[in-house]
Amino acid sequence: MRRTARLLTGTALAAGAVGLVVPPAYGGEGNGLEVSPASVVPGGEVTVRTAGCGDGATAEGDASAVGAGSFTLAPDERDATGRFRVPPSAQPGTYEIVATCAEDGRRVTGDLVVTLTSPRDEQVYPRGSVKTGVGGALGPDPVQTAAGVAALAVAAAGGTWLLHRRARGDGI
């Protein structure tokens, strides 16, 4: 039984390692449309890049789904690169951006997410004190703080007195 378990475990680990090293057969990396930034606010500029059209190729981009219309992707090193601006009237959502290669008519696509807040605005830092409703030692009213301390002192003294009487056998 142990021998079978070891064999199956070794086979599963080997298959998993091969799956991590070998690129997928359905197109590989770099054949899609890279949209940067992937998430943008209305009015923001977007850069689109693809290696799917080949070296030195051009493409015609279509961002009409988001309302930006068409744009051109020009050769840039090994990729075709283009830019467009998301209209200020764009609604939040995910939009498909398409580029059609000039040489062979191949279409490559990528997704653009339009949000109402930019990724830099998402982190909010707290300001002020925590409003828990319980108060605290550094609260704004020193009279209430003193009353709370006095109540705790009376409770501690009373508890000590009761425990002392019980220990002597006087009863409660």
Side-chain angles (χ1 to χ4, degrees):
M1 184 70 178
R2 280 187 157 187
R3 186 177 218 173
T4 305
R6 285 183 184 170
L7 180 64
L8 290 175
T9 302
T11 305
L13 288 174
V18 169
L20 291 174
V21 174
V22 177
Y26 55 83
E29 192 175 320
N31 289 336
L33 196 64
E34 179 187 330
V35 180
S36 177
S39 179
V40 68
V41 295
E45 187 175 49
V46 177
T47 301
V48 177
R49 179 181 313 262
T50 185
C53 294
D55 290 344
T58 61
E60 185 65 28
D62 180 19
S64 59
V66 73
S70 62
F71 59 97
T72 302
L73 283 83
D76 178 29
E77 295 178 18
R78 285 189 244 159
D79 301 333
T81 304
R83 289 186 176 86
F84 66 90
R85 185 167 299 278
V86 176
S89 61
Q91 297 298 312
T94 302
Y95 297 93
E96 183 178 59
I97 309 300
V98 179
T100 306
C101 300
E103 291 180 10
D104 57 4
R106 183 179 351 165
R107 292 171 45 102
V108 289
T109 62
D111 288 336
L112 172 68
V113 178
V114 177
T115 62
L116 293 179
T117 59
S118 68
R120 286 178 237 132
D121 293 341
E122 287 179 13
Q123 185 148 7
V124 177
Y125 296 101
R127 285 180 273 151
S129 61
V130 179
K131 308 291 188 223
T132 60
V134 178
L138 301 176
D141 190 5
V143 174
Q144 288 181 347
T145 302
V149 169
L152 286 174
V154 168
T160 303
W161 179 70
L162 284 175
L163 287 175
H164 184 63
R165 280 189 62 185
R166 178 184 255 183
R168 282 193 331 196
D170 291 344
I172 295 181

